PDB file of all heavy atoms in Angstrom:
ATOM      1  N   TRP A1131     154.306 -96.946  61.457  1.00 97.00           N
ATOM      2  CA  TRP A1131     153.662 -98.071  60.714  1.00 97.00           C
ATOM      3  C   TRP A1131     154.694 -98.871  59.981  1.00 97.00           C
ATOM      4  O   TRP A1131     154.488-100.113  59.823  1.00 97.00           O
ATOM      5  CB  TRP A1131     152.638 -97.518  59.758  1.00 97.00           C
ATOM      6  CG  TRP A1131     151.289 -97.154  60.348  1.00 97.00           C
ATOM      7  CD1 TRP A1131     150.770 -95.935  60.506  1.00 97.00           C
ATOM      8  CD2 TRP A1131     150.314 -98.091  60.852  1.00 97.00           C
ATOM      9  NE1 TRP A1131     149.497 -96.010  61.097  1.00 97.00           N
ATOM     10  CE2 TRP A1131     149.246 -97.270  61.336  1.00 97.00           C
ATOM     11  CE3 TRP A1131     150.284 -99.452  60.997  1.00 97.00           C
ATOM     12  CZ2 TRP A1131     148.097 -97.897  61.890  1.00 97.00           C
ATOM     13  CZ3 TRP A1131     149.136-100.037  61.568  1.00 97.00           C
ATOM     14  CH2 TRP A1131     148.072 -99.246  62.007  1.00 97.00           C
ATOM     15  N   GLY A1153     192.328-100.689  52.491  1.00 95.00           N
ATOM     16  CA  GLY A1153     191.346 -99.682  52.775  1.00 95.00           C
ATOM     17  C   GLY A1153     189.910-100.071  52.567  1.00 95.00           C
ATOM     18  O   GLY A1153     188.996 -99.237  52.643  1.00 95.00           O
ATOM     19  N   TRP A1160     183.813-112.053  65.091  1.00 98.00           N
ATOM     20  CA  TRP A1160     183.666-111.206  66.256  1.00 98.00           C
ATOM     21  C   TRP A1160     185.012-111.150  67.016  1.00 98.00           C
ATOM     22  O   TRP A1160     185.402-110.052  67.525  1.00 98.00           O
ATOM     23  CB  TRP A1160     182.530-111.648  67.186  1.00 98.00           C
ATOM     24  CG  TRP A1160     181.239-111.059  66.744  1.00 98.00           C
ATOM     25  CD1 TRP A1160     180.279-111.622  65.942  1.00 98.00           C
ATOM     26  CD2 TRP A1160     180.735-109.796  67.090  1.00 98.00           C
ATOM     27  NE1 TRP A1160     179.205-110.754  65.778  1.00 98.00           N
ATOM     28  CE2 TRP A1160     179.455-109.607  66.449  1.00 98.00           C
ATOM     29  CE3 TRP A1160     181.249-108.718  67.861  1.00 98.00           C
ATOM     30  CZ2 TRP A1160     178.700-108.478  66.588  1.00 98.00           C
ATOM     31  CZ3 TRP A1160     180.458-107.550  68.002  1.00 98.00           C
ATOM     32  CH2 TRP A1160     179.214-107.416  67.341  1.00 98.00           C
ATOM     33  N   ARG A1204     183.944 -94.599  81.668  1.00 97.00           N
ATOM     34  CA  ARG A1204     184.599 -94.091  82.878  1.00 97.00           C
ATOM     35  C   ARG A1204     185.302 -95.182  83.682  1.00 97.00           C
ATOM     36  O   ARG A1204     186.232 -94.811  84.427  1.00 97.00           O
ATOM     37  CB  ARG A1204     183.544 -93.337  83.685  1.00 97.00           C
ATOM     38  CG  ARG A1204     183.193 -92.023  83.078  1.00 97.00           C
ATOM     39  CD  ARG A1204     181.880 -91.509  83.457  1.00 97.00           C
ATOM     40  NE  ARG A1204     181.623 -90.197  82.833  1.00 97.00           N
ATOM     41  CZ  ARG A1204     180.431 -89.835  82.386  1.00 97.00           C
ATOM     42  NH1 ARG A1204     179.399 -90.647  82.397  1.00 97.00           N
ATOM     43  NH2 ARG A1204     180.272 -88.652  81.791  1.00 97.00           N
ATOM     44  N   ALA A1273     138.910 -78.504  70.708  1.00 96.00           N
ATOM     45  CA  ALA A1273     137.492 -78.895  70.819  1.00 96.00           C
ATOM     46  C   ALA A1273     136.899 -78.425  72.147  1.00 96.00           C
ATOM     47  O   ALA A1273     135.695 -78.200  72.229  1.00 96.00           O
ATOM     48  CB  ALA A1273     137.415 -80.456  70.715  1.00 96.00           C
ATOM     49  N   ALA A1314     152.571 -58.429  79.489  1.00 98.00           N
ATOM     50  CA  ALA A1314     151.852 -58.978  80.680  1.00 98.00           C
ATOM     51  C   ALA A1314     152.011 -58.085  81.888  1.00 98.00           C
ATOM     52  O   ALA A1314     151.058 -57.906  82.675  1.00 98.00           O
ATOM     53  CB  ALA A1314     152.382 -60.379  80.949  1.00 98.00           C
ATOM     54  N   GLU A1359     150.437 -58.625  71.503  1.00 98.00           N
ATOM     55  CA  GLU A1359     149.475 -58.322  72.531  1.00 98.00           C
ATOM     56  C   GLU A1359     148.387 -59.407  72.676  1.00 98.00           C
ATOM     57  O   GLU A1359     148.010 -59.807  73.755  1.00 98.00           O
ATOM     58  CB  GLU A1359     148.812 -56.971  72.225  1.00 98.00           C
ATOM     59  CG  GLU A1359     149.768 -55.786  72.388  1.00 98.00           C
ATOM     60  CD  GLU A1359     149.163 -54.447  71.945  1.00 98.00           C
ATOM     61  OE1 GLU A1359     148.170 -54.511  71.184  1.00 98.00           O
ATOM     62  OE2 GLU A1359     149.674 -53.385  72.340  1.00 98.00           O
ATOM     63  N   ALA A1398     156.095 -65.873  85.668  1.00 98.00           N
ATOM     64  CA  ALA A1398     155.386 -64.620  85.962  1.00 98.00           C
ATOM     65  C   ALA A1398     153.877 -64.769  85.865  1.00 98.00           C
ATOM     66  O   ALA A1398     153.117 -64.118  86.608  1.00 98.00           O
ATOM     67  CB  ALA A1398     155.868 -63.528  85.013  1.00 98.00           C
ATOM     68  N   GLY A1408     151.846 -74.812  82.743  1.00 98.00           N
ATOM     69  CA  GLY A1408     153.249 -74.940  82.996  1.00 98.00           C
ATOM     70  C   GLY A1408     154.102 -74.643  81.809  1.00 98.00           C
ATOM     71  O   GLY A1408     153.641 -74.237  80.756  1.00 98.00           O
ATOM     72  N   PRO A1474     196.404 -82.739  67.823  1.00 93.00           N
ATOM     73  CA  PRO A1474     197.433 -83.111  68.785  1.00 93.00           C
ATOM     74  C   PRO A1474     196.964 -83.216  70.238  1.00 93.00           C
ATOM     75  O   PRO A1474     197.484 -84.031  70.983  1.00 93.00           O
ATOM     76  CB  PRO A1474     198.445 -81.964  68.623  1.00 93.00           C
ATOM     77  CG  PRO A1474     198.299 -81.535  67.199  1.00 93.00           C
ATOM     78  CD  PRO A1474     196.813 -81.674  66.934  1.00 93.00           C
ATOM     79  N   ALA A1531     163.466-104.295  68.158  1.00 96.00           N
ATOM     80  CA  ALA A1531     162.521-105.387  68.367  1.00 96.00           C
ATOM     81  C   ALA A1531     163.211-106.698  68.728  1.00 96.00           C
ATOM     82  O   ALA A1531     162.563-107.704  68.835  1.00 96.00           O
ATOM     83  CB  ALA A1531     161.677-105.613  67.109  1.00 96.00           C
ATOM     84  N   VAL A1600     168.675 -86.657  91.280  1.00 94.00           N
ATOM     85  CA  VAL A1600     167.548 -85.859  90.762  1.00 94.00           C
ATOM     86  C   VAL A1600     166.587 -86.803  89.992  1.00 94.00           C
ATOM     87  O   VAL A1600     165.399 -86.720  90.176  1.00 94.00           O
ATOM     88  CB  VAL A1600     168.066 -84.689  89.881  1.00 94.00           C
ATOM     89  CG1 VAL A1600     166.904 -83.980  89.210  1.00 94.00           C
ATOM     90  CG2 VAL A1600     168.892 -83.753  90.695  1.00 94.00           C
ATOM     91  N   CYS A1621     160.976 -91.580  91.350  1.00 98.00           N
ATOM     92  CA  CYS A1621     160.181 -92.602  92.051  1.00 98.00           C
ATOM     93  C   CYS A1621     161.168 -93.349  92.973  1.00 98.00           C
ATOM     94  O   CYS A1621     161.790 -94.344  92.590  1.00 98.00           O
ATOM     95  CB  CYS A1621     159.583 -93.548  91.037  1.00 98.00           C
ATOM     96  SG  CYS A1621     158.600 -94.870  91.778  1.00 98.00           S
ATOM     97  N   LEU A1664     171.083 -63.767  53.153  1.00 98.00           N
ATOM     98  CA  LEU A1664     169.888 -64.460  53.542  1.00 98.00           C
ATOM     99  C   LEU A1664     170.116 -65.328  54.829  1.00 98.00           C
ATOM    100  O   LEU A1664     171.202 -65.760  55.085  1.00 98.00           O
ATOM    101  CB  LEU A1664     169.421 -65.408  52.397  1.00 98.00           C
ATOM    102  CG  LEU A1664     169.021 -64.687  51.123  1.00 98.00           C
ATOM    103  CD1 LEU A1664     168.857 -65.712  50.024  1.00 98.00           C
ATOM    104  CD2 LEU A1664     167.726 -63.873  51.294  1.00 98.00           C
ATOM    105  N   SER A1677     169.164 -88.350  60.948  1.00 95.00           N
ATOM    106  CA  SER A1677     170.058 -88.305  59.804  1.00 95.00           C
ATOM    107  C   SER A1677     169.539 -89.154  58.605  1.00 95.00           C
ATOM    108  O   SER A1677     170.200 -89.172  57.560  1.00 95.00           O
ATOM    109  CB  SER A1677     171.446 -88.867  60.190  1.00 95.00           C
ATOM    110  OG  SER A1677     171.372 -90.279  60.400  1.00 95.00           O
ATOM    111  N   ASP A1701     158.920 -64.697  45.845  1.00 98.00           N
ATOM    112  CA  ASP A1701     159.498 -63.402  45.504  1.00 98.00           C
ATOM    113  C   ASP A1701     161.011 -63.410  45.495  1.00 98.00           C
ATOM    114  O   ASP A1701     161.658 -62.837  44.616  1.00 98.00           O
ATOM    115  CB  ASP A1701     159.046 -62.329  46.536  1.00 98.00           C
ATOM    116  CG  ASP A1701     157.549 -61.994  46.429  1.00 98.00           C
ATOM    117  OD1 ASP A1701     156.939 -62.412  45.439  1.00 98.00           O
ATOM    118  OD2 ASP A1701     156.989 -61.369  47.378  1.00 98.00           O
ATOM    119  N   ARG A1720     181.052 -71.965  55.553  1.00 97.00           N
ATOM    120  CA  ARG A1720     181.587 -73.268  55.910  1.00 97.00           C
ATOM    121  C   ARG A1720     181.420 -74.297  54.838  1.00 97.00           C
ATOM    122  O   ARG A1720     182.120 -75.293  54.843  1.00 97.00           O
ATOM    123  CB  ARG A1720     180.871 -73.756  57.180  1.00 97.00           C
ATOM    124  CG  ARG A1720     181.238 -72.997  58.436  1.00 97.00           C
ATOM    125  CD  ARG A1720     180.176 -72.996  59.482  1.00 97.00           C
ATOM    126  NE  ARG A1720     178.928 -72.399  58.986  1.00 97.00           N
ATOM    127  CZ  ARG A1720     178.704 -71.087  58.924  1.00 97.00           C
ATOM    128  NH1 ARG A1720     179.645 -70.228  59.296  1.00 97.00           N
ATOM    129  NH2 ARG A1720     177.574 -70.585  58.470  1.00 97.00           N
ATOM    130  N   ARG A1728     162.035 -75.597  46.173  1.00 98.00           N
ATOM    131  CA  ARG A1728     160.629 -75.718  46.415  1.00 98.00           C
ATOM    132  C   ARG A1728     160.125 -74.367  46.820  1.00 98.00           C
ATOM    133  O   ARG A1728     160.486 -73.809  47.879  1.00 98.00           O
ATOM    134  CB  ARG A1728     160.364 -76.751  47.558  1.00 98.00           C
ATOM    135  CG  ARG A1728     158.914 -76.973  47.855  1.00 98.00           C
ATOM    136  CD  ARG A1728     158.709 -78.043  48.896  1.00 98.00           C
ATOM    137  NE  ARG A1728     159.159 -79.363  48.437  1.00 98.00           N
ATOM    138  CZ  ARG A1728     159.046 -80.459  49.130  1.00 98.00           C
ATOM    139  NH1 ARG A1728     158.555 -80.442  50.389  1.00 98.00           N
ATOM    140  NH2 ARG A1728     159.444 -81.602  48.639  1.00 98.00           N
ATOM    141  N   ASP A1736     163.100 -63.412  53.489  1.00 96.00           N
ATOM    142  CA  ASP A1736     164.517 -63.289  53.805  1.00 96.00           C
ATOM    143  C   ASP A1736     165.121 -64.511  54.360  1.00 96.00           C
ATOM    144  O   ASP A1736     166.277 -64.516  54.849  1.00 96.00           O
ATOM    145  CB  ASP A1736     164.694 -62.131  54.827  1.00 96.00           C
ATOM    146  CG  ASP A1736     163.875 -62.334  56.081  1.00 96.00           C
ATOM    147  OD1 ASP A1736     163.236 -63.398  56.271  1.00 96.00           O
ATOM    148  OD2 ASP A1736     163.850 -61.422  56.968  1.00 96.00           O
ATOM    149  N   PHE A1739     165.031 -72.494  53.832  1.00 97.00           N
ATOM    150  CA  PHE A1739     164.960 -73.654  54.734  1.00 97.00           C
ATOM    151  C   PHE A1739     165.363 -74.940  53.952  1.00 97.00           C
ATOM    152  O   PHE A1739     165.082 -75.072  52.755  1.00 97.00           O
ATOM    153  CB  PHE A1739     163.493 -73.831  55.199  1.00 97.00           C
ATOM    154  CG  PHE A1739     163.174 -75.180  55.809  1.00 97.00           C
ATOM    155  CD1 PHE A1739     163.399 -75.387  57.124  1.00 97.00           C
ATOM    156  CD2 PHE A1739     162.635 -76.219  55.039  1.00 97.00           C
ATOM    157  CE1 PHE A1739     163.083 -76.627  57.739  1.00 97.00           C
ATOM    158  CE2 PHE A1739     162.345 -77.467  55.627  1.00 97.00           C
ATOM    159  CZ  PHE A1739     162.606 -77.672  56.959  1.00 97.00           C
TER     160      PHE A1739
END
Side-chain angles (χ1 to χ4, degrees):
W1131 279 111
W1160 273 96
R1204 287 156 178 140
E1359 292 175 340
V1600 174
C1621 181
L1664 297 168
S1677 72
D1701 292 348
R1720 292 153 298 281
R1728 180 176 295 182
D1736 56 5
F1739 165 86

